[in-house]
Amino acid sequence: MEKIVALSLLTPFYVAQAAHRVMRTQEGGGSVVNIGSVSAHTPQPGTAAYTAAKAGLLALTKALALEWAPTVRVNHITTGLIRTESAASVYRADGGAAVAGVIPMERMAVPEDVARACLFLASGLSGYVNGADLPVHGGGEFPARYLAAKAAGGPG
C-alpha cells in the first residue's frame, strides 16, 4: 500500500514542488499536468490504495492550483483504459475488444490521446484553465444496467 501511495500521490507532489520552484521565477510562469485515473471517481474492487492515491492526486491538483495561481497553473487529466504494450496481457486473447465494447468511443485510449491532452493543458491555448480535471476516457463506461438490458435484448 505504501508503495502505491508513494508512486501515485507523493511522487507527483514532489515533482510538482520542484517544477514550481523553477516556474514561479520564470517569465510566463508554467503549467503542471497531473495524470490521474477514473479510479479517483469510480473505485473498483481490490483497488483501495490506488483509488485513494488517485483521489488524493485530484485533490492535490485543485489545492496547488489555488496556491500557485496566477503564476503556475495546475491541472489534472483523468485517464481511462489505455492500450499499451505492457498492459496487453490484461486484455486477454481478444486484445481488448470486449473491454472496448463498454466504452462509448468503442476503443481504448492510446498513449497519444493522453499526450495530446497534456500538450493542450501545457500550452497557451489553455492559459485560463487552472484546477481543471480533463477526462480523457472516451466517455467513461456504459453503466452495468445498460449493458445488462442490451445483452437481454432490451432497449439498452
Side-chain angles (χ1 to χ4, degrees):
M1 179 171 127
E2 290 86 3
K3 288 182 182 180
I4 292 170
V5 172
L7 179 64
S8 297
L9 177 58
L10 297 177
T11 298
F13 183 40
Y14 298 143
V15 170
Q17 287 178 317
H20 178 254
R21 284 191 291 276
V22 173
M23 291 177 183
R24 70 181 181 202
T25 63
Q26 67 188 14
E27 186 171 333
S31 174
V32 172
V33 180
N34 288 317
I35 307 297
S37 167
V38 294
S39 293
H41 301 278
T42 309
Q44 299 295 317
T47 65
Y50 181 76
T51 294
K54 289 301 186 178
L57 181 62
L58 178 55
L60 175 68
T61 297
K62 292 174 182 277
L64 294 179
L66 292 171
E67 292 178 20
W68 295 350
T71 310
V72 176
R73 297 179 300 110
V74 185
N75 290 292
H76 183 272
I77 293 176
T78 290
T79 62
L81 298 170
I82 302 173
R83 180 182 296 284
T84 63
E85 196 172 304
S86 62
S89 64
V90 175
Y91 303 125
R92 301 203 176 128
D94 71 359
V99 173
V102 304
I103 301 170
M105 291 297 288
E106 299 180 348
R107 69 174 180 85
M108 287 184 279
V110 293
E112 291 80 6
D113 293 317
V114 179
R116 284 189 288 274
C118 289
L119 289 171
F120 167 71
L121 288 175
S123 78
L125 293 172
S126 64
Y128 197 67
V129 179
N130 188 38
D133 180 18
L134 178 62
V136 180
H137 56 37
E141 295 179 19
F142 290 115
R145 64 185 175 282
Y146 170 85
L147 295 173
K150 187 175 178 183

